């Protein structure tokens, strides 16, 4: 309904842009210039008409239990359903694969590009191939990293976790924030979004470069592979990391698309949004989001999964036993009994197998069906849900996105698994900062929910009982 309203309003608000946008030739900046007043008007109408209506209650359990399912965040770019999984602007992952432009051409000629998905998340419209390509070009133009940041990253100890190195690099880039400069010069709040967009495009463009530098500084000689303007965002990222195979480029496209956004309540997205709500610029906001992503219950789970599988293999090899359903079951119970979680399983919202897991499994069935670790991941899936169900604690015994990503990378020789969360970090910027753009464009306020004490809760429930 909102999309229809957008189209109707768009036709009246900016007739001069209509012809360009209709022909699919407008740049991302031009398209958003047309769209922002439309979405602003829609939000005003939504608040005016429905602002007073109730969309949920809060229980004491929710208040002290991590806020599960409390509907108090506004997030436009994606929506997560507990049973079905994620939809980006209304499209499931298989639908994105059918509809979004690819590197080679229109939809269907391989994996969609993350640039095409970004266009969709920002504009609520499936881009033409020309539009997606224009964004690829825009990002390529902005990808250079200043020398002071290169030198800073080189000065860091190799033993500093790659995620911490990435955050240090991003924070150092903040010196060039166009939003911070515009704010300091007293720009009118109506103009914030334009400077925010500039920063966001810069951050997206430079993150793969930073990530490649972090990779090389940590594991290689500090030099990165060369980039090529005829390639897309994902293939250039792969080249910078030292990978040169079209199949790996396809994996990178899939990886960057599926990790980009998972509605607003996950810790990395929420943190980015929260920090951004103070008018911290996108560099500061997303650095905070990366710090949240670096926790083992969130993005770091992808490195933990690989470690878990390798430990399992090592243990049974040493004992002269095969890795099969029985030994994996034994290992899973040992993990649980030692007070640890089984990484890659469970979710705060999902109650079924994560469709991001399924899309990676389909990729593996297509490109690496006989890979040893892939087969182990399949066997883990056959036994761990039953183990977790018998264990009786987790609300969702099924695999999440992190349970599959590492083995795909490993197959292509990408074995530095302490680095895997950095790849997630490059991807999550796409969704979290698309929303930060809309936060600024819609003038979203400082985020400041109410906290209460245990004493307040007791008084409140006792008073409610007596009423
Ligand atoms: N292994 C063992 N125990 C688990 C578990 C798992 N995989 N998943 C949940 N549990 C336990 C919880 O630790 C909790 O135990 P306590 O009552 O002792 O605290 C209990 O089951 C209930 O938890 P829940 O309500 O099912 O899950 P939460 O919403 O609290 O937590 C987590 C969701 C993802 C953090 C959780 O499932 C987990 O720790 N999974 C393993 C780590 C992981 O894979 N994280 C990545 C998640 C996806 C993501 O964000 N990627 O970036």
């Amino acid at each position: 309904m909102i999309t229809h309203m957008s189209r109707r309003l768009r036709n009246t608000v900016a007739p001069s842009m209509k012809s360009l946008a209709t022909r699919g030739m407008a740049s991302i900046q031009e398209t958003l210039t047309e769209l922002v007043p439309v979405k602003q008007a829609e939000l005003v109408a939504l608040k005016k008409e429905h602002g007073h209506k109730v969309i949920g209650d809060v229980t004491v359990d929710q208040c002290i239990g991590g806020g599960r399912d409390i509907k108090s965040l506004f997030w436009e770019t994606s929506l997560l359903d507990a049973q079905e999984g994620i939809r980006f602007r209304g499209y499931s992952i298989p639908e994105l694969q059918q509809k979004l432009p690819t590197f080679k051409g229109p939809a269907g000629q391989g994996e969609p590009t993350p640039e095409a998905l970004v266009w969709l998340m920002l504009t609520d419209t499936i881009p033409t191939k020309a539009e997606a390509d224009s964004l690829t070009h825009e990002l390529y133009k902005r990808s250079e990293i200043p020398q002071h940041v290169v030198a800073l990253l080189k000065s860091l100890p190799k033993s500093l976790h790659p995620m911490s190195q990435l955050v240090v690099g991003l924070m150092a880039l903040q010196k060039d924030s166009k939003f911070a400069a515009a704010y300091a010069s007293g720009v009118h709040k109506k103009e914030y979004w334009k400077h925010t967009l500039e920063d966001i495009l810069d951050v997206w463009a430079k993150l793969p470069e930073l990530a490649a530098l972090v990779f090389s500084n940590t594991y290689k000689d500090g030099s990165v592979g060369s980039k090529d303007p005829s390639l897309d965002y994902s293939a250039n990222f792969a080249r910078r990391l030292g990978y040169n195979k079209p199949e790996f480029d396809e994996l990178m496209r899939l990886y960057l698309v599926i990790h980009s956004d998972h509605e607003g309540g996950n810790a990395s997205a929420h943190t980015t949004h929260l920090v951004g709500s103070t008018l911290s610029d996108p560099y500061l906001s997303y650095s905070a989001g990366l710090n949240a992503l670096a926790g083992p219950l969130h993005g770091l789970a992808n490195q933990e999964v690989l470690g878990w599988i390798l430990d399992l293999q090592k243990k049974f090899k040493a004992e002269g036993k095969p890795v099969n359903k029985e030994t994996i079951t034994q290992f899973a119970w040992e993990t649980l009994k030692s007070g640890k979680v089984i990484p890659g399983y469970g979710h705060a919202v999902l109650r079924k197998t994560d469709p991001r897991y399924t899309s990676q499994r389909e990729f593996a069935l297509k490109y690496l069906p006989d890979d040893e670790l892939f087969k182990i991941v399949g066997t883990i899936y056959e036994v761990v849900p039953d183990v977790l169900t018998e264990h009786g604690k987790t609300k969702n015994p099924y695999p999440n996105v992190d349970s599959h990503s590492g083995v795909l990378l490993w197959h292509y020789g990408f074995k530095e698994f302490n680095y895997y969360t950095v790849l997630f970090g490059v991807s999550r910027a796409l969704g979290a900062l698309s929303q930060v753009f809309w936060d600024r464009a819609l003038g979203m306020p400082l985020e400041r929910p109410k906290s209460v004490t245990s004493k307040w809760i007791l008084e409140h429930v006792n008073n409610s009982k007596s009423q």
Side-chain angles (χ1 to χ4, degrees):
M1 191 191 84
I2 285 186
T3 307
H4 288 152
M5 190 168 22
S6 300
R7 291 209 179 101
R8 211 176 56 232
L9 280 167
R10 234 176 282 173
N11 290 344
T12 55
V13 169
S16 58
M17 285 304 309
K18 195 183 147 216
S19 54
L20 267 183
T22 308
R23 294 201 319 260
M25 290 171 62
S27 68
I28 193 69
Q29 291 93 333
E30 290 165 333
T31 305
L32 290 169
T33 302
E34 176 189 358
L35 195 56
V36 163
V38 178
K39 294 283 185 189
Q40 287 172 337
E42 282 178 10
L43 192 71
V44 170
L46 183 73
K47 283 205 282 197
K48 195 168 168 208
E49 204 174 329
H50 303 292
H52 60 287
K53 294 183 182 158
V54 176
I55 57 171
D57 299 315
V58 181
T59 64
V60 175
D61 272 346
Q62 286 174 305
C63 174
I64 59 181
R68 298 289 182 282
D69 207 31
I70 298 175
K71 294 168 192 69
S72 66
L73 287 169
F74 185 74
W75 198 266
E76 290 286 67
T77 48
S78 67
L79 186 67
L80 180 60
D81 179 84
Q83 303 299 323
E84 190 200 42
I86 192 68
R87 281 185 178 267
F88 300 82
R89 293 282 188 183
Y91 297 101
S92 67
I93 290 171
E95 286 167 357
L96 294 180
Q97 287 169 321
Q98 283 163 15
K99 290 179 192 294
L100 285 179
T102 63
F103 173 59
K104 287 194 188 139
Q109 297 194 29
E111 294 297 335
T113 63
E115 300 92 301
L117 176 66
V118 162
W119 189 287
L120 172 65
M121 286 193 290
L122 278 176
T123 69
D124 199 7
T125 311
I126 298 268
T128 61
K129 169 74 177 149
E131 285 169 335
D133 285 351
S134 74
L135 187 52
T136 301
H137 181 63
E138 182 73 46
L139 296 177
Y140 187 88
K141 272 191 325 197
R142 294 167 180 257
S143 60
E144 214 60 42
I145 300 282
Q147 266 315 307
H148 75 95
V149 180
V150 176
L152 174 68
L153 286 175
K154 284 200 168 143
S155 75
L156 298 175
K158 285 178 189 291
S159 55
L160 183 63
H161 192 278
M163 280 300 276
S164 306
Q165 295 190 43
L166 187 69
V167 172
V168 168
L170 187 57
M171 289 296 297
L173 284 176
Q174 194 266 346
K175 177 181 95 54
D176 297 324
S177 168
K178 292 166 184 157
F179 176 81
Y183 189 87
S185 72
V187 70
H188 193 285
K189 62 187 345 188
K190 284 194 180 140
E191 302 290 309
Y192 287 171
W193 67 266
K194 292 181 185 157
H195 307 283
T196 302
L197 179 62
E198 283 295 310
D199 277 359
I200 289 172
L201 292 170
D202 284 340
V203 171
W204 285 337
K206 292 176 202 305
L207 261 181
E209 300 289 309
L210 275 185
L213 277 170
V214 168
F215 183 72
S216 185
N217 285 341
T218 310
Y219 304 106
K220 311 264 181 220
D221 63 359
S223 63
V224 294
S226 52
K227 52 188 173 183
D228 173 351
S230 70
L231 294 176
D232 63 336
Y233 188 76
S234 309
N236 266 318
F237 186 21
R239 297 298 169 281
R240 299 300 248 178
L241 291 166
Y243 291 85
N244 203 354
K245 215 176 161 191
E247 218 174 279
F248 187 83
D249 297 346
E250 281 289 85
L251 174 61
M252 188 61 90
R253 291 180 190 113
L254 174 70
Y255 192 103
L256 296 179
V257 162
I258 63 175
H259 287 81
S260 61
D261 207 27
H262 217 223
E263 74 170 31
N266 68 78
S268 52
H270 186 184
T271 307
T272 307
H273 167 80
L274 168 67
V275 176
S277 84
T278 70
L279 296 186
S280 281
D281 61 62
Y283 295 87
L284 297 169
S285 309
Y286 193 59
S287 303
L290 282 172
N291 284 311
L293 193 69
L297 295 187
H298 191 15
L300 205 80
N302 60 10
Q303 100 171 33
E304 299 292 290
V305 167
L306 225 288
W308 194 80
I309 295 175
L310 295 182
D311 285 350
L312 177 156
Q313 260 190 326
K314 197 167 141 198
K315 172 183 163 76
F316 294 118
K317 196 171 173 196
E319 292 177 11
K321 291 183 186 165
V323 173
N324 58 23
K325 284 189 188 180
E326 286 71 38
T327 49
I328 293 173
T329 303
Q330 179 193 328
F331 195 73
W333 276 113
E334 281 169 16
T335 304
L336 293 171
K337 284 179 183 159
S338 62
K340 292 184 263 188
V341 294
I342 298 182
Y345 277 76
H347 201 272
V349 178
L350 281 167
R351 293 296 173 257
K352 284 270 169 70
T353 297
D354 192 335
R356 301 172 298 173
Y357 173 93
T358 311
S359 63
Q360 294 181 89
R361 179 170 166 79
E362 278 162 11
F363 185 96
L365 286 169
K366 184 168 168 191
Y367 291 109
L368 45 127
D370 300 321
D371 182 273
E372 189 190 350
L373 285 192
F374 168 55
K375 287 186 177 161
I376 293 180
V377 165
T379 314
I380 293 172
Y381 186 28
E382 287 179 52
V383 300
V384 163
D386 287 342
V387 171
L388 284 172
T389 304
E390 192 181 332
H391 186 237
K393 277 189 154 189
T394 171
K395 295 189 188 67
N396 173 32
Y398 299 109
N400 58 54
V401 66
D402 299 311
S403 141
H404 213 308
S405 53
V407 291
L408 298 179
L409 296 164
W410 189 272
H411 174 81
Y412 293 100
F414 201 146
K415 298 191 172 175
E416 297 81 359
F417 60 91
N418 275 2
Y419 181 85
Y420 288 172
T421 313
V422 169
L423 301 176
F424 197 158
V426 171
S427 172
R428 183 49 55 94
L430 305 175
L433 291 176
S434 291
Q435 181 59 40
V436 165
F437 169 78
W438 281 108
D439 290 345
R440 287 295 76 76
L442 297 173
M444 299 306 279
L446 179 79
E447 190 171 302
R448 208 313 186 178
K450 178 87 186 85
S451 69
V452 292
T453 61
S454 53
K455 202 170 163 200
W456 183 95
I457 292 177
L458 284 172
E459 279 167 11
H460 181 81
V461 293
N462 288 335
N463 286 344
S464 307
K465 255 191 258 165
S466 60
Q467 277 162 20

